[in-house]
Amino acid sequence: YLAASACLPVGAAFGAALAFGLDDEWHGRMLVAHLVTNLLGWIGFTVTGTLVTFWPTMLRVRMDDRAERLARQALPLLAAGLTVVVAGSLVGWRWLAVAGLAAYLLGLIWWGRALWRPLAAKGLREFAPASVACALVWGAVGLVWVGWLLAASGSWPAVTDAVPTVAGVFAVGFGAQLLFGALSYLVPSVMGGGPSVVRAGQDWFNRASTWRLVVVNGGLLLMLVPGPSWVRVAVSVLVVAALAWFIPLLFA
């Protein structure tokens, strides 16, 4: 959490620099630095630190005995990888940034081994952990996608052109699903009232869970496939509706 907090003002500074009318080359480099510092640093470090205990809690199983140790070991690699990505972006060396992303991904794999045992013990039987699991998959997809863009694009402006699509994947596939999954478990728990009341509250969030997950994740896949604009619009409406269904369930 301390590392995540340190990333926030740095990422904000990169974002503020984008308002100073930079040329296309510097705009692309600063945009990537801003994106990865906030996404991989501020949000990424927070998520990896939280899921050490929160993931097995959602699954209602014992935490992997290695979880805390693996997280401590992964943090230096995650921080080093993020630093290399930012440095590569600022100096304009795309391959250096790709190497930093690879190091960050290795750190995630090292940390993520602790998530498998709780998952194998219980499986995904409720909406909350299933939504978080989908979010983690999309986060990994987005990370690899950014690396591919940096490696395959011929210039930083070309990377900039693809950022809105990648940002959409992170916002919907990763961010929204992570948020709604976590809240689906936390809201009933924080409201309290005893085990039976908490279970009754969580039962509401589990309603139509398969439909909601399929629409959001399948719809996001369809939106990334080239096709007629009306199909993309229709699919996007369904995805938003499936995400927004959390609100009436919350009041119910």
Side-chain angles (χ1 to χ4, degrees):
Y1 292 144
L2 291 174
S5 299
C7 289
L8 181 57
V10 178
F14 290 145
L18 293 171
F20 285 99
L22 304 173
D23 61 35
D24 290 344
E25 176 77 10
W26 266 104
H27 183 86
R29 288 154 63 174
M30 198 64 66
L31 181 61
V32 171
H34 166 66
L35 178 68
V36 298
T37 304
N38 283 339
L39 189 60
L40 305 186
W42 180 43
I43 298 177
F45 290 165
T46 301
V47 169
T48 53
T50 301
L51 289 183
V52 169
T53 54
F54 190 46
W55 176 249
T57 301
M58 286 191 297
L59 291 171
R60 308 178 196 281
V61 296
R62 178 182 173 84
M63 183 175 72
D64 190 324
D65 294 334
R66 308 170 300 166
E68 199 170 347
R69 173 171 52 85
L70 291 177
R72 285 198 305 268
Q73 294 171 346
L75 179 58
L77 185 56
L78 295 173
L82 176 60
T83 302
V84 171
V85 177
V86 173
S89 301
L90 295 180
V91 301
W93 296 352
R94 292 194 305 279
W95 282 104
L96 181 62
V98 172
L101 284 174
Y104 190 95
L105 185 59
L106 286 176
L108 285 181
I109 293 172
W110 186 263
W111 158 82
R113 293 186 300 158
L115 304 184
W116 174 250
R117 285 184 182 176
L119 177 61
K122 194 67 174 286
L124 298 173
R125 300 182 180 181
E126 297 181 86
F127 174 79
S131 183
V132 171
C134 291
L136 294 178
V137 171
W138 280 111
V141 169
L143 186 62
V144 173
W145 194 349
V146 171
W148 179 82
L149 285 174
L150 289 171
S153 299
S155 64
W156 289 98
V159 176
T160 303
D161 293 338
V163 162
T165 303
V166 179
V169 168
F170 278 120
V172 177
F174 176 69
Q177 292 201 102
L178 184 71
L179 175 64
F180 291 142
L183 289 179
S184 296
Y185 181 87
L186 288 174
V187 170
S189 301
V190 171
M191 291 176 67
S196 61
V197 178
V198 171
R199 283 195 297 269
Q202 289 172 342
D203 285 343
W204 278 99
F205 288 116
N206 288 328
R207 298 193 178 195
S209 57
T210 301
W211 175 83
R212 292 155 62 197
L213 291 169
V214 169
V215 170
V216 172
N217 294 281
L220 188 54
L221 280 173
L222 288 177
M223 290 172 63
L224 297 176
V225 176
S229 59
W230 68 268
V231 173
R232 297 170 62 88
V233 171
V235 169
S236 64
V237 170
L238 289 174
V239 170
V240 171
L243 290 171
W245 191 243
F246 172 85
I247 304 300
L249 293 177
L250 173 64
F251 282 100

